């Protein structure tokens, strides 16, 4: 088992609606192998989420995981402002999402399919996600803060939407520039610098 190549923006599959996965398919060895490939691809990148279309598979399947070694690259102030805490691997087949409340948060995010860039995106702070797990059993998640952002980003992929469709366009930057200019700054300071 090994990581798969990640499809980059411009590819039509990233702009198409992915299909529902039939329940009977979830338990097949092929689908289980696909889940493993997705988890390994996400970890190797490294990223905090991956949607099946990003490795060229047109199904409604996402994997997510935020590891402590990624989270601790941020200062404790940045972790707190983003409400970012580590969580273990989640596999969600045919996810559906409901927004909870109308609070939003704005932060930089990137995408493994828009390699090397970041942009600031408004996302809902709190969502409820239901779907099937890797065994085809029903599951649901209540996500607040950064995990809610990851869910919104990954589920967008299943509908052919990329963060660049939603970002504050003036904030679009290479990951290097954003690191050099904004690391350690609060989002309010960054917004002032960017005039967004
Ligand atoms: Zn993405």
């Amino acid at each position: 088992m090994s990581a798969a190549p990640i499809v980059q923006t411009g590819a039509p599959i990233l702009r198409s609606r992915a299909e529902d996965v039939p329940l009977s398919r979830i338990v097949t060895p092929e689908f289980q192998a696909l889940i493993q490939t997705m988890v390994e691809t996400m970890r190797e990148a490294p990223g905090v989420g991956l949607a099946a279309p990003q490795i060229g598979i047109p199904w409604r399947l996402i994997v997510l995981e935020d590891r402590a070694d990624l989270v601790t690259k941020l200062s404790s102030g940045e972790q707190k402002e983003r409400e970012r805490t580590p969580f273990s691997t989640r596999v969600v087949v045919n996810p559906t999402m409901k927004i909870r409340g109308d609070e939003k948060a704005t932060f930089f995010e990137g995408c493994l399919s828009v390699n090397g860039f970041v942009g600031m995106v408004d996302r809902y702070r709190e969502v409820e996600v239901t779907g099937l797990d890797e065994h085809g059993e029903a599951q649901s998640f209540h996500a607040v803060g950064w995990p809610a952002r990851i869910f919104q980003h990954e589920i967008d992929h299943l509908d052919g939407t990329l963060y660049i469709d939603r970002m504050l366009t003036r904030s679009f930057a290479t990951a290097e520039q954003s690191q050099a200019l904004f690391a350690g700054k609060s989002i309010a300071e960054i917004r002032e610098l960017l005039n967004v």
Side-chain angles (χ1 to χ4, degrees):
M1 210 67 66
S2 61
I6 298 173
V7 174
Q8 292 300 306
T9 183
I13 192 164
L14 293 174
R15 292 311 197 171
S16 311
R17 190 182 187 279
E19 290 166 37
D20 282 320
V21 181
L23 187 57
S24 59
R25 191 183 277 272
I26 297 174
V27 293
T28 63
E30 292 77 13
F31 196 82
Q32 294 296 313
L34 169 62
I35 292 171
Q36 282 313 309
T37 299
M38 284 186 57
V39 170
E40 280 168 39
T41 304
M42 168 178 68
R43 284 179 186 159
E44 192 184 285
V48 294
L50 192 75
Q54 292 183 274
I55 58 164
I57 306 291
W59 283 334
R60 301 185 82 77
L61 164 65
I62 59 174
V63 296
L64 310 80
E65 165 185 275
D66 207 359
R67 298 197 319 262
D69 61 306
L70 296 176
V71 174
T72 52
K73 283 182 181 166
L74 299 173
S75 72
S76 62
E78 287 170 320
Q79 291 174 36
K80 204 171 278 180
E81 192 179 35
R82 284 159 183 71
E83 299 184 274
R84 186 166 171 180
T85 45
F87 62 87
S88 57
T89 315
R90 313 256 189 264
V91 176
V92 193
V93 182
N94 301 339
T96 59
M97 188 175 67
K98 279 197 181 114
I99 308 303
R100 293 282 177 239
D102 50 16
E103 232 182 308
K104 286 189 166 183
T106 309
F107 289 107
F108 277 104
E109 63 184 63
C111 176
L112 299 174
S113 294
V114 188
N115 195 21
F117 292 90
V118 295
M120 281 168 67
V121 186
D122 281 337
R123 298 282 189 189
Y124 289 101
R125 183 171 167 261
E126 195 172 341
V127 298
E128 194 90 33
V129 176
T130 57
L132 304 176
D133 69 9
E134 61 269 44
H135 310 294
E137 303 289 335
Q139 60 176 349
S140 66
F141 301 103
H142 177 221
V144 179
W146 206 259
R149 173 173 297 270
I150 301 170
F151 270 119
Q152 288 166 81
H153 179 117
E154 299 311 330
I155 291 172
D156 264 354
H157 272 300
L158 304 182
D159 295 322
T161 298
L162 299 175
Y163 83 86
I164 52 176
D165 305 338
R166 300 189 185 276
M167 71 180 175
L168 304 174
T169 51
R170 287 178 55 85
S171 70
F172 192 53
T174 64
E176 281 170 4
Q177 291 276 19
S178 120
Q179 182 64 26
L181 294 170
F182 305 131
K185 291 195 167 62
S186 75
I187 214 70
E189 290 171 308
I190 296 168
R191 293 191 80 143
E192 199 172 315
L193 286 169
L194 287 169
N195 195 20
V196 293

